[in-house]
Amino acid sequence: MEKNKIRKSILKVRKLKYDKNLAINFKNFKNLLIKKKIYNGYIGGYFPVNYEIDCLKILSKLETDKFKISLPKIKKNNLMDFFKYSFRDPLKLNKYGIPEPINNSKIYPDVIIVPLVAFNDELFRIGYGGGYYDRYIQKLIKKKKFLTIGFAFSFQKVPKFRVDTFDRSLDFIMTERKIYK
């Protein structure tokens, strides 16, 4: 199926099925980090919008566990970077109404929690279509080793879709039910 059709369909389903009580299990997330020998460092998160699964509780617990948190800021030409963030810091809204850090300390995360619209068994994702995460991941690959973990509801999994040359598979995808690897 075409990505745009999948995107439209899953966004409608996500809005209908959204339940703020469905969440990624923190213990499972933390165990995944330990298994990958990640005991500290920067976690790149996102501020959930448009009925995305919430990662803020996990980020808050990680900050308490002495991890450093970062959130993305979008730039021109569908680019973005991650910047230091603490839950004590204020945020400002970007042009899409998504909260971003005010802090200007750019960092390169050790782990990126990636929002997504849909995903498949091969751990490829469909986003909103702007290519922000694909471009950022491609840029970061040239700078350091890092882990990508997609966050989604289980109903966002789809059988298959066309994968383009610029698409990057994620290392893991976590839902409220399962870890895909």
Side-chain angles (χ1 to χ4, degrees):
M1 191 186 276
E2 188 183 315
K3 283 185 183 181
N4 280 336
K5 286 182 182 172
I6 293 169
R7 184 179 294 115
K8 254 184 169 170
S9 171
I10 296 296
L11 285 172
K12 280 182 190 173
V13 170
R14 192 168 72 184
K15 184 176 181 179
L16 290 171
K17 290 189 172 188
Y18 178 77
D19 180 348
K20 67 179 181 186
N21 296 314
L22 292 179
I24 304 294
N25 182 291
F26 175 73
K27 187 176 176 187
N28 290 346
F29 184 83
K30 188 78 184 279
N31 287 341
L32 179 59
L33 296 182
I34 291 167
K35 184 177 173 187
K36 295 308 239 171
K37 297 180 174 27
I38 300 170
Y39 306 107
N40 57 29
Y42 276 102
I43 308 292
Y46 62 90
F47 201 97
V49 295
N50 200 20
Y51 307 99
E52 292 170 334
I53 198 160
D54 193 342
C55 69
L56 296 178
K57 288 179 186 146
I58 286 179
L59 293 175
S60 179
K61 288 178 183 179
L62 289 170
E63 186 175 42
T64 301
D65 284 354
K66 306 302 179 215
F67 280 87
K68 295 174 216 95
I69 306 303
S70 62
L71 292 175
K73 282 188 193 183
I74 61 167
K75 305 183 321 186
K76 292 178 183 171
N77 302 320
N78 290 18
L79 298 174
M80 70 179 195
D81 281 308
F82 279 81
F83 293 82
K84 285 183 185 179
Y85 173 70
S86 169
F87 283 87
R88 298 177 301 275
D89 297 343
L91 295 161
K92 67 175 172 70
L93 297 181
N94 68 20
K95 67 181 183 179
Y96 299 113
I98 301 169
E100 294 180 332
I102 291 175
N103 191 319
N104 285 321
S105 298
K106 187 186 335 181
I107 58 91
Y108 299 109
D110 301 296
V111 177
I112 302 174
I113 299 173
V114 183
L116 52 91
V117 173
F119 68 97
N120 66 15
D121 281 323
E122 290 81 41
L123 305 185
F124 283 96
R125 66 183 273 281
I126 294 175
Y128 290 100
Y132 288 93
Y133 278 88
D134 292 319
R135 283 185 195 84
Y136 186 78
I137 289 168
Q138 187 60 36
K139 177 174 96 172
L140 196 56
I141 284 171
K142 297 172 186 171
K143 297 191 181 293
K144 70 184 284 187
K145 288 188 176 203
F146 61 99
L147 193 65
T148 55
I149 304 172
F151 272 22
F153 294 108
S154 56
F155 57 78
Q156 291 176 255
K157 185 172 180 288
V158 297
K160 60 183 185 178
F161 52 84
R162 185 187 80 250
V163 175
D164 297 311
T165 54
F166 53 81
D167 289 334
R168 296 280 167 252
S169 64
L170 302 178
D171 297 308
F172 298 91
I173 294 178
M174 297 185 76
T175 72
E176 77 283 4
R177 293 187 182 162
K178 183 176 176 178
I179 300 174
Y180 295 86
K181 48 188 169 179

